[in-house]
CSV table of all heavy atoms in Angstrom, one decimal:
chain,number,residue,atom,x,y,z
A,1243,ASP,N,-111.7,20.3,63.9
A,1243,ASP,CA,-113.1,20.7,63.6
A,1243,ASP,C,-113.9,20.9,64.9
A,1243,ASP,O,-114.0,20.0,65.6
A,1243,ASP,CB,-113.7,19.6,62.7
A,1243,ASP,CG,-115.1,20.1,62.1
A,1243,ASP,OD1,-115.8,20.8,62.8
A,1243,ASP,OD2,-115.4,19.6,61.0
A,1244,ALA,N,-114.4,22.1,65.1
A,1244,ALA,CA,-115.1,22.4,66.4
A,1244,ALA,C,-116.3,21.7,66.5
A,1244,ALA,O,-116.9,21.6,67.6
A,1244,ALA,CB,-115.3,23.9,66.4
A,1245,GLY,N,-116.8,21.1,65.5
A,1245,GLY,CA,-118.1,20.3,65.5
A,1245,GLY,C,-117.9,18.9,66.2
A,1245,GLY,O,-118.9,18.2,66.3
A,1246,PHE,N,-116.7,18.6,66.5
A,1246,PHE,CA,-116.4,17.2,67.0
A,1246,PHE,C,-115.5,17.3,68.3
A,1246,PHE,O,-114.8,18.3,68.5
A,1246,PHE,CB,-115.7,16.4,66.0
A,1246,PHE,CG,-116.5,16.2,64.7
A,1246,PHE,CD1,-116.2,17.0,63.6
A,1246,PHE,CD2,-117.5,15.2,64.6
A,1246,PHE,CE1,-117.0,16.8,62.4
A,1246,PHE,CE2,-118.2,15.1,63.5
A,1246,PHE,CZ,-117.9,15.9,62.4
A,1247,SER,N,-115.6,16.3,69.1
A,1247,SER,CA,-114.7,16.1,70.2
A,1247,SER,C,-114.0,14.8,70.0
A,1247,SER,O,-114.6,13.8,69.7
A,1247,SER,CB,-115.5,16.0,71.6
A,1247,SER,OG,-116.2,17.2,71.8
A,1248,VAL,N,-112.7,14.8,70.3
A,1248,VAL,CA,-111.8,13.6,70.1
A,1248,VAL,C,-111.4,13.2,71.5
A,1248,VAL,O,-110.9,14.0,72.3
A,1248,VAL,CB,-110.6,13.9,69.2
A,1248,VAL,CG1,-109.7,12.7,69.2
A,1248,VAL,CG2,-111.0,14.3,67.8
A,1249,LEU,N,-111.6,11.9,71.8
A,1249,LEU,CA,-111.1,11.4,73.1
A,1249,LEU,C,-110.1,10.3,72.8
A,1249,LEU,O,-110.2,9.5,71.9
A,1249,LEU,CB,-112.3,10.8,73.8
A,1249,LEU,CG,-113.5,11.7,74.2
A,1249,LEU,CD1,-114.5,11.7,73.1
A,1249,LEU,CD2,-114.1,11.3,75.5
A,1250,GLU,N,-109.1,10.3,73.7
A,1250,GLU,CA,-108.0,9.2,73.6
A,1250,GLU,C,-107.7,8.8,75.0
A,1250,GLU,O,-107.7,9.6,76.0
A,1250,GLU,CB,-106.7,9.8,73.0
A,1250,GLU,CG,-106.9,10.2,71.5
A,1250,GLU,CD,-105.6,10.7,70.9
A,1250,GLU,OE1,-105.4,11.9,71.1
A,1250,GLU,OE2,-104.9,10.0,70.3
A,1251,GLN,N,-107.4,7.5,75.2
A,1251,GLN,CA,-107.1,7.0,76.5
A,1251,GLN,C,-106.3,5.7,76.4
A,1251,GLN,O,-106.7,4.8,75.5
A,1251,GLN,CB,-108.4,6.7,77.3
A,1251,GLN,CG,-108.1,6.3,78.8
A,1251,GLN,CD,-109.3,5.8,79.4
A,1251,GLN,OE1,-109.9,4.8,79.1
A,1251,GLN,NE2,-109.8,6.6,80.4
A,1252,ALA,N,-105.3,5.5,77.1
A,1252,ALA,CA,-104.6,4.2,77.2
A,1252,ALA,C,-105.4,3.2,77.8
A,1252,ALA,O,-106.1,3.4,78.8
A,1252,ALA,CB,-103.3,4.4,77.9
A,1253,GLY,N,-105.4,2.0,77.2
A,1253,GLY,CA,-106.2,0.9,77.8
A,1253,GLY,C,-105.3,-0.2,78.2
A,1253,GLY,O,-104.0,-0.1,78.2
A,1254,PRO,N,-105.8,-1.4,78.7
A,1254,PRO,CA,-105.0,-2.5,79.2
A,1254,PRO,C,-104.4,-3.3,78.0
A,1254,PRO,O,-104.7,-4.5,77.8
A,1254,PRO,CB,-106.0,-3.3,80.0
A,1254,PRO,CG,-107.3,-3.1,79.3
A,1254,PRO,CD,-107.3,-1.6,78.8
Side-chain angles (χ1 to χ4, degrees):
D1243 189 328
F1246 301 97
S1247 297
V1248 175
L1249 299 92
E1250 296 178 276
Q1251 184 190 70

